[in-house]
Amino acid sequence: MDNIGIHTARDAGHHAANPGLQGVVAATTRLSSVDGEAGELIIAGYPVGEFAPRARFEETLHLLWYGALPNSAQLKALGDALAERRELPAITLTVLRDAAGARIPPMDLLRMAAGTLSGGEDQEAALTLVAQLPAVVAASWRLLRGEEPIPPRRDLAHAANYLWMLDGTEPDARRTRALETYLNTVVDHGLNASTFTARVIASTGSDMVSAILGAIGALKGPLHGGAPGPALDMVFEIGTPDRIEPVLRSKLESGERLMGFGHRIYRVRDPRAEVLGREADRLFAGAENRSLYLLAKEVELAAVRLLAEYKPGRNLQTNVEFYTALLLHGLDLPVQLFTPTFTLGRVGGWCAHCFEQRTVKRIIRPESSYRGPIDRVWSPLEGR
Ligand code: ACO
């Protein structure tokens, strides 16, 4: 067996490995800036709270891809370009039908179907990916439930089309706004794992579809995009205001983590939680289940207070997942579609990063520090 732990002469003079690449700056970007100490997220110059609750998702795409908000002619052109590409190719639908028949979960269906989308040059591929991924997610969900996919509508914009394709109900302005705010809020977030993955693949000269496929694989991991469901489970488990304190205390005393709190980078409240919390307030205004929003707010306040008590000095605050879960639930999205829906926002950022990476003209190729033996002698098969 290999003696993996051996340190050898080859390591002499090598730098120590930095497995999480923490503190390593691997790209310059004009797309977003994350300041964890100040609790600040800037997207292409705009604080996230300034533009996310106002912009249509098409405006956000224009901002990230072309550097400025569009005028009305540019917005129409981008909207038309997406509308022309929204219909899924036959091969994608065939793959989805077969895979949904095998009960493959939605995020895996998205990964499989994304690979069937047609590539081409970067601009064309980016438009196709952004236009078609919502149709893929909506069709997957319907096929998994034994229903036929609903075709997109030319008269609906991007966010509204997604909600339409999910259940065939035309969303009102409040629901559309809530989804746009969510997609805008999560569109980009520095050099996170999936964005880095996309940039690594783009740096090899590979095509845009491959870069986005890799990014989807990275986003799927529970340490990255796969966590919003449990934050909602916790609120449901608590159920009523009188149970908040005892349930949270018992979780903390048994060493459990409170889902939706804490962040590697943010030491203050995640600015995205602020934006999504306000949007959830609007979405749940007058809603039958407004009490769920009010309960979640109370859970948040108590959780932050108890985390300070049980984990003093750690600065554990609300993260993006807490209100993501509530907002997406308020849009009637099932938990299984939370991470796929996150993908539909982040894909705009991934494509923008690929455009940027293309201008670098240098492959991303770090080094590893070899920690194995160096003087082994070949032994023939029969002698092993
Ligand atoms: N609940 C209870 N304790 C916590 C929590 C939490 N949510 N988060 C951190 N802690 C505690 C840890 O137990 C640890 O305590 P200790 O030093 O006494 O052992 C201390 O705070 C530091 O924890 P780390 O894991 O080192 O902190 P890190 O910054 O690396 O963790 C993470 C970040 C993984 C998000 C963590 O806060 C967590 O697990 N949160 C809950 C899960 C969650 O909400 N995930 C979504 C994050 S948002 C996103 O990734 C997009």
Side-chain angles (χ1 to χ4, degrees):
M1 216 182 112
D2 283 351
N3 192 347
I4 299 295
I6 289 180
H7 290 233
T8 70
R10 287 248 191 274
D11 293 319
H14 276 207
H15 296 297
N18 178 352
L21 300 184
Q22 199 162 357
V24 174
V25 177
T28 52
T29 182
R30 57 163 186 80
L31 299 170
S32 68
S33 157
V34 182
D35 183 336
E37 299 295 328
E40 198 175 67
L41 168 61
I42 306 285
I43 310 257
Y46 295 92
V48 65
E50 170 73 16
F51 95 99
R54 298 191 173 99
R56 298 222 341 241
F57 189 61
E58 288 87 337
E59 292 180 283
T60 304
L61 292 174
H62 198 280
L63 175 65
L64 289 179
W65 292 5
Y66 311 119
L69 289 173
N71 60 29
S72 35
Q74 291 165 329
L75 182 60
K76 180 172 181 321
L78 182 53
D80 288 348
L82 292 170
E84 278 159 22
R85 290 164 177 82
R86 209 159 260 134
E87 201 89 43
L88 290 180
I91 185 170
T92 310
L93 282 167
T94 303
V95 166
L96 285 178
R97 273 184 209 287
D98 283 1
R103 312 301 307 155
I104 291 175
M107 198 59 194
D108 291 300
L109 290 180
L110 177 57
R111 171 177 52 74
M112 294 166 85
T116 66
L117 301 182
S118 68
E121 52 84 28
D122 286 353
Q123 279 289 332
E124 175 58 33
L127 285 166
T128 302
L129 284 156
V130 168
Q132 293 185 353
L133 290 187
V136 166
V137 175
S140 303
W141 184 242
R142 294 187 63 81
L143 289 167
L144 278 170
R145 292 187 308 165
E147 296 166 341
E148 272 305 294
I150 297 175
R153 269 174 47 181
R154 278 302 288 246
D155 61 322
L156 293 178
H158 193 69
N161 242 313
Y162 177 49
L163 295 173
W164 162 257
M165 288 184 287
L166 278 170
D167 67 5
T169 313
E170 190 171 329
D172 61 19
R174 182 160 56 170
R175 287 164 60 73
T176 306
R177 180 63 264 161
L179 180 60
E180 305 243 45
T181 300
Y182 171 69
L183 298 175
N184 292 339
T185 301
V186 300
V187 71
D188 202 44
H189 200 243
L191 204 54
N192 58 86
S194 56
T195 299
F196 183 56
T197 305
R199 287 191 80 129
V200 169
I201 296 173
S203 84
T204 69
S206 184
D207 64 290
M208 181 81 93
V209 172
S210 299
I212 300 313
L213 197 51
I216 290 172
L219 189 75
K220 182 172 169 265
L223 297 186
H224 188 9
L232 190 64
D233 293 342
M234 193 177 76
V235 178
F236 280 130
E237 184 192 339
I238 290 171
T240 51
D242 56 304
R243 283 174 40 82
I244 295 175
E245 183 111 6
V247 172
L248 293 182
R249 277 194 192 279
S250 112
K251 283 184 183 299
L252 288 166
E253 275 158 26
S254 63
E256 246 184 81
R257 292 192 175 205
L258 303 186
M259 304 314 282
F261 298 89
H263 198 275
R264 173 59 59 84
I265 294 179
Y266 291 115
R267 294 297 156 209
V268 294
R269 195 166 192 252
D270 185 329
R272 297 170 298 175
E274 185 66 32
V275 177
L276 297 180
R278 265 188 268 128
E279 195 61 60
D281 191 2
R282 279 192 286 270
L283 181 65
F284 281 87
E288 257 173 48
N289 55 351
R290 170 107 184 135
S291 57
L292 181 67
Y293 166 77
L294 296 174
L295 176 67
K297 273 203 73 108
E298 280 193 61
V299 169
E300 182 192 14
L301 287 174
V304 170
R305 172 169 52 79
L306 293 174
L307 283 166
E309 182 185 323
Y310 283 84
K311 300 281 173 187
R314 296 288 187 192
N315 289 328
L316 299 169
Q317 302 284 336
T318 319
N319 65 41
V320 65
E321 305 290 14
F322 190 75
Y323 282 109
T324 289
L326 197 69
L327 193 68
L328 296 185
H329 176 75
L331 281 168
D332 302 322
L333 292 179
V335 169
Q336 298 94 312
L337 292 192
F338 286 5
T339 306
T341 305
F342 183 177
T343 312
L344 305 183
R346 189 55 61 87
V347 66
W350 291 334
C351 292
H353 277 273
C354 289
F355 293 146
E356 259 192 351
Q357 188 62 41
R358 295 292 199 213
T359 66
V360 178
K361 311 254 179 271
R362 194 166 170 79
I363 188 169
I364 298 175
R365 200 324 188 169
E367 290 177 34
S368 52
S369 174
Y370 179 66
R371 301 287 163 122
I374 55 169
D375 49 3
R376 302 170 107 185
V377 177
W378 176 256
S379 59
L381 182 59
E382 56 278 12
R384 286 178 221 154

